[in-house]
Amino acid sequence: NTYFWRQSKEEIVKDVCFKVSRLVTQNMLNAIYGEKTFGLYLSALIQVGDILLPQVKEGAQPTIVPVGIDQDPHIRLSRDLTRRYYKEKKVDGKIVQEDFFLPGATYHKLLPGLDGSDKMSKRNPNSYFTFNESLESIEKKIRGALTGGRENKKMQQELGGEPQKCMIYKILMYLFEEDDEILAQEFEQCVKGELLCGEHKQTCVERVIKFIKDHRKKKEKKIDQARKILDL
């Protein structure tokens, strides 16, 4: 079964955040995150509540959290606090402590920002696009994305491109092209200067725009159901 929750409405998450806050010290948080604002520390404790929610709600059980590698500090904090957090329950009329499983994680590569920054960020609007943006805006951002191309066509053909730096190649590799042979072929063509940035961007634009259009049609059909699930 799938359980959806809104963080701001889930009382268990807020309760866990409050309880585990008594288990942390300033030195512990500084060791994990460095000297940060209290807002970041609070956000981390709320995420502990998110991670422990299944066990608090349904009892001790293995938990796997898929995260980007930059979220590893949150996982380490959650595991440390889980070692000392427990839930009381009745067994044969007696109150006993139920220890929780330490949460595990799978780590995933993040798609870098369109401008080549480490990751897409709301602080940098040119590093990403949303599904709700106009198609014109999405296309403009893709065409303006960082590539591994040279200064001009002649240099590209003579020196070859650098696909390992190219966001167009990475967008297709991460999200759209499932055929490894095609990806390898495009990589080689770029290195040899046979694949030019303009035509590669055109391919990327066409695939992204098609996906966005299809997604919007599906969203329109399911939006009422989503609102009902989230009680919006």
Side-chain angles (χ1 to χ4, degrees):
N1 294 330
T2 302
Y3 178 69
F4 295 93
W5 74 92
R6 295 171 66 188
Q7 197 178 61
S8 60
K9 300 292 185 181
E10 182 56 69
E11 294 299 326
I12 291 177
V13 171
K14 290 186 280 187
D15 287 345
V16 171
C17 174
F18 174 73
K19 291 176 181 177
V20 298
S21 68
R22 297 176 295 177
L23 304 176
V24 299
T25 65
Q26 186 70 42
N27 287 338
M28 181 191 300
L29 294 173
N30 286 347
I32 296 174
Y33 298 104
E35 194 75 32
K36 302 293 183 181
T37 63
F38 183 75
L40 183 142
Y41 298 148
L42 179 60
S43 174
L45 295 177
I46 291 173
Q47 289 191 52
V48 174
D50 286 326
I51 292 171
L52 287 181
L53 174 63
Q55 300 197 69
V56 176
K57 190 174 180 65
E58 299 182 359
Q61 57 185 296
T63 307
I64 302 294
V65 187
V67 295
I69 191 63
D70 64 318
Q71 300 293 303
D72 177 64
H74 298 325
I75 299 299
R76 289 190 285 119
L77 176 64
S78 297
R79 287 174 62 86
D80 189 36
L81 294 177
T82 300
R83 288 186 177 94
R84 291 179 285 160
Y85 186 88
Y86 61 86
K87 178 183 177 183
E88 292 183 343
K89 65 177 182 178
K90 275 190 176 182
V91 177
D92 297 329
K94 297 180 180 180
I95 301 295
V96 298
Q97 295 180 1
E98 180 182 28
D99 293 326
F100 289 160
F101 283 82
L102 297 184
T106 55
Y107 294 99
H108 302 265
K109 285 185 177 180
L110 295 174
L111 181 64
L114 297 175
D115 58 351
S117 51
D118 290 340
K119 64 178 182 178
M120 297 181 180
S121 170
K122 289 183 179 180
R123 299 186 186 91
N124 182 5
N126 289 323
S127 69
Y128 72 99
F129 59 81
T130 72
F131 287 6
N132 294 325
E133 282 187 53
S134 68
L135 298 180
E136 292 76 17
S137 174
I138 293 173
E139 179 174 350
K140 182 178 179 181
K141 288 183 177 181
I142 293 174
R143 292 193 183 279
L146 177 72
T147 70
R150 304 296 178 176
E151 295 179 11
N152 53 55
K153 179 179 179 180
K154 182 179 179 181
M155 291 181 65
Q156 178 88 352
Q157 292 174 329
E158 291 178 353
L159 302 176
E162 299 176 286
Q164 67 274 15
K165 297 180 180 179
C166 180
M167 282 308 304
I168 301 302
Y169 181 80
K170 289 180 180 178
I171 289 173
L172 295 172
M173 177 179 68
Y174 275 62
L175 303 173
F176 291 99
E177 186 53 70
E178 297 182 358
D179 192 325
D180 289 344
E181 290 187 8
I182 292 178
L183 287 170
Q185 182 181 15
E186 290 181 346
F187 189 97
E188 185 176 356
Q189 287 176 330
C190 180
V191 170
K192 291 181 177 180
E194 298 171 356
L195 179 61
L196 301 180
C197 296
E199 59 186 278
H200 207 199
K201 284 183 177 180
Q202 181 61 34
T203 298
C204 186
V205 165
E206 290 174 358
R207 297 189 72 167
V208 171
I209 295 299
K210 181 181 183 304
F211 176 86
I212 295 292
K213 287 181 177 179
D214 291 343
H215 179 272
R216 288 178 178 177
K217 290 178 182 178
K218 294 176 183 177
K219 177 182 176 181
E220 188 175 351
K221 292 180 180 179
K222 297 291 186 179
I223 190 65
D224 290 337
Q225 182 180 352
R227 289 194 177 107
K228 184 177 180 181
I229 291 173
L230 295 175
D231 193 25
L232 294 176

